[in-house]
Amino acid sequence: MPEDLTITRGFPDALRSEVALLYDAAFGPKLSIAIPNTHRRLKVLEQAFDPHHSFVALSGERVLGIAGFKTQSGAFTSGIGPALLRHHLGLLGSLRAVLVLALFERKLSPNELLMDGIAVSPSARGGGVGTTLLERLKQFSADDGYQTIRLDVINTNINARRLYERLGFVPTKTSHFGYLRWLLGFSGATTLQYCVKPTA
Ligand SMILES: CC(C)(COP(=O)(O)OP(=O)(O)OC[C@H]1O[C@@H](n2cnc3c(N)ncnc32)[C@H](O)[C@@H]1OP(=O)(O)O)[C@@H](O)C(=O)NCCC(=O)NCCS
């Protein structure tokens, strides 16, 4: 992990395209079902992100990681709505995207913080950046009075699941996608939950 690593809440507009690239490097394969064209997908992400619902890991000017979240006040990716999709994808493309993205939609319970994507730059993975971002999110959740942090991990992402369990997340539910497997590219996902320790 770089010595000058800093974690900040949000990021300036100048970093939007870099954050979109990083996010897409992690979630592009999944998002491409909704938005197959990489250039358009990056444009949508760049404009849709709400930085206030994220923490970023920076080394100097370089973005090494991003952790988006969703609370009652909004979500990191909440800007991915019909109007923005229509603007970039046209009518048919936006219809496809809206239908596919609806499959990924998750409801929020009161007092809960939902992870809205965590991604570390491929060259920085395995160096502790993801752990640092998750610890920051835990601290933020405690300070702001959330009781639980929830996330979903697909059943093929064994390494990420091990990381979450090491940090105290426990599995609560497994969903099987049945006939949707051919569309999504994975057959199931597990929900993990962390019980926030209140700030003393
Ligand atoms: C999952 C991810 C955010 C973890 O961040 P990180 O900085 O690599 O994590 P850390 O270095 O703090 O911790 C390393 C742990 O993450 C696991 N890990 C998950 N994916 C990894 C990867 N691609 N490379 C290296 N380590 C990875 C390691 O197995 C390690 O666990 P271990 O210590 O029990 O062996 C990051 O690897 C990533 O962006 N992966 C792609 C996107 C993704 O899967 N996001 C999560 C979706 S639920």
Side-chain angles (χ1 to χ4, degrees):
M1 188 159 57
E3 276 178 17
D4 66 343
L5 187 83
T6 54
I7 307 290
T8 65
R9 172 98 183 258
F11 50 87
D13 281 345
L15 291 179
R16 276 181 177 275
S17 57
E18 201 180 331
V19 172
L21 271 173
L22 196 151
Y23 195 90
D24 195 65
F27 299 108
K30 185 168 133 184
L31 290 173
S32 67
I33 307 162
I35 311 174
N37 181 288
T38 305
H39 176 73
R40 289 181 187 174
R41 197 168 62 242
L42 285 170
K43 282 285 161 218
V44 169
L45 289 175
E46 197 179 315
Q47 289 176 22
F49 288 148
D50 172 8
H52 190 63
H53 287 87
S54 73
F55 286 94
V56 284
L58 297 166
S59 169
E61 303 271 285
R62 226 183 118 219
V63 184
L64 293 188
I66 175 87
F69 59 89
K70 177 175 180 174
T71 63
Q72 302 282 4
S73 70
F76 182 52
T77 58
S78 60
I80 308 180
L84 184 69
L85 291 169
R86 174 107 194 244
H87 174 75
H88 287 285
L89 311 176
L91 181 60
L92 285 181
S94 65
L95 275 176
R96 171 198 175 118
V98 166
L99 288 173
V100 174
L101 291 171
L103 298 171
F104 299 130
E105 190 62 36
R106 291 158 304 157
K107 293 228 160 47
L108 194 65
S109 306
N111 303 318
E112 180 180 61
L113 181 142
L114 196 59
M115 295 289 298
D116 198 11
I118 177 165
V120 168
S121 164
S123 61
R125 286 178 195 167
V129 175
T131 301
T132 311
L133 278 168
L134 285 163
E135 292 294 357
R136 183 70 189 85
L137 263 179
K138 284 189 198 175
Q139 189 197 327
F140 169 76
S141 302
D143 293 346
D144 275 35
Y146 294 102
Q147 291 169 357
T148 52
I149 303 176
R150 182 160 59 94
L151 60 84
D152 294 298
V153 60
I154 60 173
N155 56 5
T156 49
N157 202 346
I158 295 158
N159 288 338
R161 177 166 172 176
R162 196 172 60 234
L163 167 65
Y164 299 137
E165 294 199 41
R166 176 158 55 76
L167 293 178
F169 286 79
V170 291
T172 58
K173 189 179 81 174
T174 297
S175 310
H176 299 281
F177 299 133
Y179 67 91
L180 281 176
R181 179 184 184 159
W182 66 267
L183 174 69
L184 301 175
F186 45 89
S187 60
T190 298
T191 301
L192 292 111
Q193 185 172 288
Y194 174 81
C195 286
V196 177
K197 294 168 187 63
T199 307

